[in-house]
Amino acid sequence: MEPELLRTLLMNVASTSRLAVELFLMLQSDSEESSDDEIDSADAPDTKLLVAVTDVLSTVERRLWARETSTEWWDHIVMQVWDDDQWLQNFRMRKATFMGLCAELAPTLQHKDTRLRAALSVEKRVAIAVWKLATPDSYRSVANQFGVGKSTVGIVVMQVCRAINRILLRRTVTLGNVQDILDGFAQMGFPNCGGAIDGTHIPILAPPHLATEYINRKGYFSMVLQALVDHRGRFTDIYTGWPGKVHDARIFRNSGMFRKLQAGTFFPDRKITVGDVEMPIVILGDPAYPLMPWLMKPYTGKLDRSKDRFNYRLSRCRMTVECAFGRLKGRWRSLYGKLDVGESSIPAIITACCILHNICEGKGETFSDEWTSEVQRLEAEFAQPESRATREAQHSASRIRDALKEQFEAESQQ
């Protein structure tokens, strides 16, 4: 290659690449030497240039095709300076909880350095994902915050969410101590209750295929999360991925939890007697769910005093699931940001947020009042559709509900 031509090419990129500068200076030096010394071979300048290029490439990092970015903020401010309040505000958990999460995920997320680049640390990968889930920030904003590429953020978020789901789902979203749950709901006024069930709509962008299936009764695109929670508001079963147009009862009937409840294998076989009726462990739902021997729901239509009292007790316990959804969305603000990923990836993100919710609740992480205010504002923008009530009821289930109604009435008069 003509030295003059190569010099021109290198000058055009010298302002953005240190490698180009080094090559240019070497070429310039070679050119000056060739004018002073006699060179017998016409190929000598090209040979010298080739050697120079090889030497530089073997000793410097990739510079022409990888943008250099600063990681000062993450390495020296967040990791070394921030206190627990700052960690909680930005990552929804204290540093100790965050580092514990990283330790759990490390076997899956640990990547090795290559000759071309240093791998992102596990801590930085998890931080990028948690920051994206906890804020409404765009991918570009998160990329600038952490000194990485925009595409890297998208890749890392999905890697971390899938790792969380694969490693922690079965250990974190679980019934745990069933007797503890039964005692908790009994103290709230409902005997032999193993949880409260409901669905919530997560706003999404319009999918490219079958978009109308995702439009819910409030007119926005959404995906449904069905969840069962315990008396403390922790998720004990989750099921997500159905389009917003689908009724809660249909989603429920297609869930693994429904099949297990129907088979009597979801809860231990612990029955109590109410009046003269035997009652298994039950879950509590709203009028959209079918009345089953193991699922109690409110009375509808004309209500007398005893039915009102039953509905009050059931509603008081069902508040746990509504509060859990509020705290879930308050912590993981991206769930109100019209998730900008393909619909096939959305369930992984929602599931990961549920797992992180349980981790934060279990570790006693503070829930900020300002997050509640933000949720209330967003709930007005993305109102939850009201599911149509279903009148489906089994005779044995009606007998159990009536027996509970009579017991609650009798207790109120003591």
Side-chain angles (χ1 to χ4, degrees):
M1 179 184 292
E2 290 293 331
E4 191 62 36
L5 175 60
L6 184 56
R7 184 185 297 112
T8 302
L9 291 173
L10 292 174
M11 286 180 67
N12 288 336
V13 296
S15 62
T16 58
S17 169
R18 193 178 305 136
L19 175 58
V21 175
E22 293 181 36
L23 290 175
F24 174 74
L25 292 175
M26 288 184 178
L27 181 59
Q28 183 70 29
S29 174
D30 285 345
S31 178
E32 290 171 356
E33 288 176 9
S34 66
S35 65
D36 295 335
D37 301 325
E38 227 176 280
I39 301 174
D40 294 330
S41 170
D43 294 333
D46 282 351
T47 302
K48 282 188 175 184
L49 179 60
L50 179 61
V51 172
V53 170
T54 303
D55 287 344
V56 173
L57 288 176
S58 65
T59 57
V60 300
E61 297 176 359
R62 176 179 72 127
R63 300 188 193 279
L64 280 170
W65 53 277
R67 179 170 64 96
E68 290 188 46
T69 52
S70 171
T71 61
E72 181 76 16
W73 173 78
W74 166 253
D75 293 333
H76 301 293
I77 297 178
V78 177
M79 289 298 285
Q80 297 181 22
V81 177
W82 274 14
D83 59 22
D84 274 346
D85 286 342
Q86 290 168 301
W87 274 88
L88 188 67
Q89 187 62 34
N90 292 283
F91 293 101
R92 301 326 199 219
M93 61 186 77
R94 292 164 293 176
K95 186 177 181 181
T97 303
F98 174 86
M99 296 305 290
L101 175 63
C102 292
E104 296 268 20
L105 302 179
T108 298
L109 293 179
Q110 189 73 58
H111 287 213
K112 293 183 178 179
D113 294 346
T114 69
R115 290 185 62 189
L116 296 176
R117 73 167 79 195
L120 293 178
S121 67
V122 171
E123 292 78 13
K124 191 168 185 178
R125 288 175 185 275
V126 176
I128 289 170
V130 171
W131 185 284
K132 184 69 177 79
L133 296 177
T135 69
D137 293 358
S138 67
Y139 284 99
R140 185 178 300 281
S141 174
V142 177
N144 292 338
Q145 192 79 34
F146 286 88
V148 298
K150 178 182 173 183
S151 61
T152 299
V153 174
I155 293 169
V156 165
V157 168
M158 292 312 304
Q159 285 177 342
V160 172
C161 285
R162 291 189 176 113
I164 288 172
N165 299 344
R166 184 164 58 252
I167 296 171
L168 299 175
L169 176 60
R170 293 186 182 276
R171 280 193 281 143
T172 306
V173 181
T174 180
L175 281 172
N177 188 330
V178 175
Q179 189 58 52
D180 186 42
I181 297 174
L182 299 179
D183 292 342
F185 279 114
Q187 290 177 4
M188 296 170 68
F190 213 101
N192 222 34
C193 175
I197 188 173
D198 203 357
T200 190
H201 288 254
I202 308 297
I204 64 172
L205 295 176
H209 307 292
L210 300 174
T212 56
E213 293 298 309
Y214 289 84
I215 301 176
N216 61 40
R217 290 165 66 86
K218 288 293 183 179
Y220 61 89
F221 297 97
S222 67
M223 187 172 284
V224 180
L225 165 64
Q226 173 190 282
L228 183 74
V229 306
D230 64 15
H231 59 294
R232 293 168 295 186
R234 288 197 246 184
F235 299 114
T236 56
D237 188 273
I238 55 175
Y239 182 51
T240 188
W242 283 77
K245 187 177 181 179
V246 181
H247 191 277
D248 284 353
R250 181 183 170 195
I251 295 171
F252 179 50
R253 285 192 172 277
N254 281 276
S255 67
M257 177 172 58
F258 178 87
R259 291 189 291 273
K260 290 178 181 178
L261 286 165
Q262 191 81 303
T265 59
F266 189 81
F267 291 115
D269 185 17
R270 300 182 189 176
K271 295 183 174 66
I272 64 171
T273 301
V274 181
D276 60 351
V277 178
E278 201 173 55
M279 171 183 164
I281 296 176
V282 299
I283 62 175
L284 308 179
D286 65 18
Y289 292 92
L291 183 65
M292 309 288 283
W294 36 262
L295 195 159
M296 294 290 103
K297 63 185 237 181
Y299 286 98
T300 55
K302 187 176 181 180
L303 305 177
D304 57 23
R305 187 177 63 181
S306 61
K307 289 180 179 179
D308 252 340
R309 183 168 285 108
F310 174 89
N311 285 1
Y312 170 77
R313 286 213 194 181
L314 187 145
S315 176
R316 182 181 173 192
C317 293
R318 276 199 66 258
M319 285 294 293
T320 56
V321 68
E322 295 175 8
C323 289
F325 284 147
R327 290 168 77 89
L328 171 74
K329 295 175 181 179
R331 276 199 178 97
W332 311 113
R333 173 68 176 73
S334 63
L335 296 181
Y336 268 125
K338 291 189 176 181
L339 291 172
D340 49 352
V341 295
E343 65 265 33
S344 62
S345 297
I346 293 174
I349 293 177
I350 296 173
T351 300
C353 288
C354 291
I355 294 169
L356 292 171
H357 165 90
N358 276 12
I359 290 172
C360 290
E361 292 292 315
K363 294 290 185 180
E365 300 295 354
T366 303
F367 188 87
S368 171
D369 289 340
E370 64 185 70
W371 301 344
T372 301
S373 301
E374 181 71 358
V375 167
Q376 290 171 346
R377 182 185 69 79
L378 291 166
E379 277 291 354
E381 183 178 350
F382 296 105
Q384 290 296 307
E386 291 185 13
S387 294
R388 299 181 302 277
T390 177
R391 296 186 178 183
E392 181 183 353
Q394 294 186 4
H395 177 67
S396 58
S398 296
R399 289 187 64 218
I400 291 172
R401 184 169 67 173
D402 289 344
L404 284 168
K405 177 194 68 172
E406 297 303 324
Q407 178 172 299
F408 295 166
E409 179 69 16
E411 289 173 355
S412 71
Q413 296 176 3
Q414 290 178 356

